[in-house]
């Protein structure tokens, strides 16, 4: 087991990639705090599965788009598990709409959850990790769209581009404390965020056509990279982005 004796908080872990990461961390020996926003029942069920594996868990509700709630979530996870070695900023939302239609409300929602929430959760976690003196891991679940354009998703790409530079800057400040900060950049993964595409044969086919691997990824294929970054083996890896996208970000028609 690669995470024995560690405690982790995974935001947005009531479903999708976050759920897969929380369960894999537990299987690797970690105690894991599960976070949910609207899906309380699902969050509790993930926490129950973790406890069934013999690990400690807790399901915590919060709107990470509010800085005080993101910070409170980190402190509550730390209090419940007695320590905090790993933070995974996974909670994320996206809204598909043309740039000219974006309202301040939508901008604040997407930037709030995806960027502000990750920023202040990381800050709260870093303070606790520095005080504990044992180093730590901050893993941001970004997207290939921290780098690759995404038509009609200006708020989402703005948030993920911000996450990329936040990671690159903060890694410098936290490295002296033995805390690493890295991004995971998934491409198209079969999770609820892609339900519109998954439910439409034509759209799904069009998406598969721009993925060199010819298929969507599975949440567990993202979780395996998160386990590596969270483990002691990755102690010298910081400020990096790991693409997990079946080659999607490198796709080109070759015309
Ligand atoms: C988005 C998905 C999208 C994928 C590939 C992800 O970040 O959440 O909606 O299918 O990128 O474009």
């Amino acid at each position: 087991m690669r995470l024995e004796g560690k405690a982790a908080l995974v935001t947005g872990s009531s479903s999708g990639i976050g759920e897969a990461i929380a369960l894999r961390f537990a299987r690797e020996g970690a105690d894991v705090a599960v976070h949910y926003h609207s899906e309380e029942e699902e969050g509790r069920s993930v926490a129950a599965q973790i406890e069934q594996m013999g690990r400690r868990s807790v399901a915590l509700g919060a709107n990470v788009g509010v800085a005080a709630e993101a910070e409170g979530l980190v402190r509550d996870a730390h209090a419940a598990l007695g320590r905090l070695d790993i933070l995974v900023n996974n909670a994320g939302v996206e809204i598909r709409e043309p740039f000219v239609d974006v309202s301040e409300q939508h901008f604040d929602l997407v930037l709030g959850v995806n960027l502000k929430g990750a920023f202040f959760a990381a800050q709260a976690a870093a303070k606790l990790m520095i005080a504990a003196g044992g180093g730590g891991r901050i893993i941001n679940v970004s997207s290939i769209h921290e780098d690759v354009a995404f038509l009609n998703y200006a708020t989402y790409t703005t948030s993920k581009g911000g996450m990329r530079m936040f990671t690159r800057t903060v890694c410098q400040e936290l490295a002296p404390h033995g805390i690493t900060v890295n991004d995971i950049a998934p491409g198209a993964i079969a999770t609820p965020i892609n339900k519109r595409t998954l439910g439409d044969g034509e759209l799904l086919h069009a998406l598969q056509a721009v993925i060199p691997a010819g298929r969507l990824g599975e949440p567990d294929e993202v979780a395996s990279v998160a386990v590596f970054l969270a483990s002691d083996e990755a102690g010298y890896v910081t400020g990096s982005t790991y693409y997990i996208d079946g080659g999607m970000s490198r796709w080109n028609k070759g015309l």
Side-chain angles (χ1 to χ4, degrees):
M1 286 195 291
R2 293 150 85 190
L3 303 178
E4 207 160 8
K6 312 263 192 215
L9 164 64
V10 183
T11 70
S13 46
S14 53
S15 68
I17 292 171
E19 175 185 5
I21 292 175
L23 294 174
R24 274 293 283 280
F25 278 10
R27 224 178 298 149
E28 294 290 346
D31 293 335
V32 186
V34 172
H35 158 251
Y36 62 87
H37 178 226
S38 52
E39 302 174 323
E40 178 169 357
E41 204 178 304
E42 290 85 346
R44 291 193 185 286
S45 146
V46 175
Q49 289 176 61
I50 291 168
E51 282 172 346
Q52 273 159 22
M53 293 183 217
R55 314 278 171 259
R56 293 170 73 187
S57 188
V58 62
L60 301 166
N63 173 8
V64 295
V66 176
E69 288 198 38
E71 292 158 2
L73 171 66
V74 169
R75 284 195 298 265
D76 289 350
H78 178 264
L81 302 179
R83 56 186 294 148
L84 187 67
D85 307 282
I86 306 157
L87 167 68
V88 181
N89 279 313
N90 167 77
V93 292
E94 63 187 33
I95 299 173
R96 182 174 190 269
E97 61 189 349
F99 166 60
V100 292
D101 292 340
V102 173
S103 62
E104 183 179 2
Q105 192 199 4
H106 279 183
F107 181 94
D108 286 346
L109 171 65
V110 177
L111 273 287
V113 173
N114 297 6
L115 186 57
K116 189 162 100 174
F119 190 104
F120 285 102
Q123 188 190 61
K127 285 182 192 172
L128 291 169
M129 289 168 183
I130 291 168
R137 299 281 184 267
I138 297 172
I139 301 167
N140 295 317
V141 179
S142 168
S143 163
I144 60 166
H145 301 299
E146 70 164 44
D147 187 41
V148 177
F150 197 15
L151 189 70
N152 290 322
Y153 287 90
T155 47
Y156 188 72
T157 54
T158 302
S159 72
K160 298 300 186 179
M163 186 175 250
R164 169 191 173 109
M165 290 315 299
F166 154 64
T167 292
R168 291 183 181 197
T169 300
V170 170
C171 83
Q172 295 187 71
E173 295 182 37
L174 299 183
H177 301 283
I179 302 167
T180 67
V181 191
N182 291 288
D183 276 16
I184 285 178
I189 309 297
T191 72
I193 213 168
N194 280 308
K195 61 175 183 289
R196 186 179 70 98
T197 312
L198 289 167
D200 178 327
E202 226 172 282
L203 268 184
L204 183 60
H205 194 73
L207 178 59
Q208 285 164 342
V210 298
I211 303 172
R215 65 172 178 87
L216 273 73
E218 292 302 323
D220 220 39
E221 294 179 295
V222 180
S224 51
V225 178
V227 168
F228 166 67
L229 288 173
S231 74
D232 289 340
E233 283 174 296
Y236 201 58
V237 180
T238 197
S240 288
T241 292
Y242 280 68
Y243 290 84
I244 308 163
D245 68 350
M248 187 180 184
S249 56
R250 308 294 177 227
W251 179 84
N252 184 278
K253 241 180 167 157
L255 294 174

